[in-house]
Every structure is written in C-alpha cells, then in structure tokens.
Amino acid sequence: MAFQPHEKEVSEFVAARKIGEWISFTRNGVEVNGTIFKIMDNSVIVEISPEDAKEIGAASNMTVISHKKYKIV
C-alpha cells in the first residue's frame, strides 16, 4: 500500500522567493545579509560571506534560515 503525495499549501511570501534574492537575518546578535541558494518548504539555504560565517560561528558560508526569520533586502 502506497500513500499518495500530499500537496502542501505554500504561502504567498514563500511562493514569491527566488534563488539569488538578497535577504537579511539576525543570528547571535549579528545582522547578516546573504543570497538565497535553495528554497525549501519551511526554510531557505543562504550563502553568506566567509567573514559573516566566522562572526556568527557558522561552520561554512552556507546556512539555513526559517522563512519566519528573515526579511527581503
């Protein structure tokens, strides 16, 4: 028995996002800007500068941000 895929409703905010779009978010008290690399259901993968990655303690220059936690620049 296989389950049928279930269509998820996507908010207008998420549907309007584009790869390469600039966003801004705060992590560890630091304001960070980056570009959307990949869009997922609940979050985006963002490419940030190596300097910002070091400042916020990220392991690389790619980080995941919830759709609820960023704004469009």
Side-chain angles (χ1 to χ4, degrees):
M1 180 171 134
F3 292 102
Q4 296 300 316
H6 161 354
E7 292 288 325
K8 275 190 165 182
E9 282 190 37
V10 177
S11 74
E12 288 182 33
F13 178 80
V14 174
R17 300 296 53 90
K18 304 263 188 280
I19 296 197
E21 191 168 33
W22 278 93
I23 66 169
S24 176
F25 61 95
T26 301
R27 166 105 27 104
N28 299 333
V30 178
E31 182 85 14
V32 180
N33 291 322
T35 58
I36 296 176
F37 181 78
K38 183 174 182 177
I39 304 165
M40 299 178 290
D41 289 339
N42 298 311
S43 57
V44 289
I45 298 177
V46 180
E47 186 173 11
I48 60 176
S49 72
E51 295 80 16
D52 282 342
K54 185 176 180 181
E55 190 171 355
I56 65 172
S60 75
N61 69 323
M62 302 291 255
T63 192
V64 178
I65 305 295
S66 166
H67 290 303
K68 299 174 184 176
K69 303 261 181 174
Y70 66 85
K71 59 186 175 187
I72 306 307
V73 175

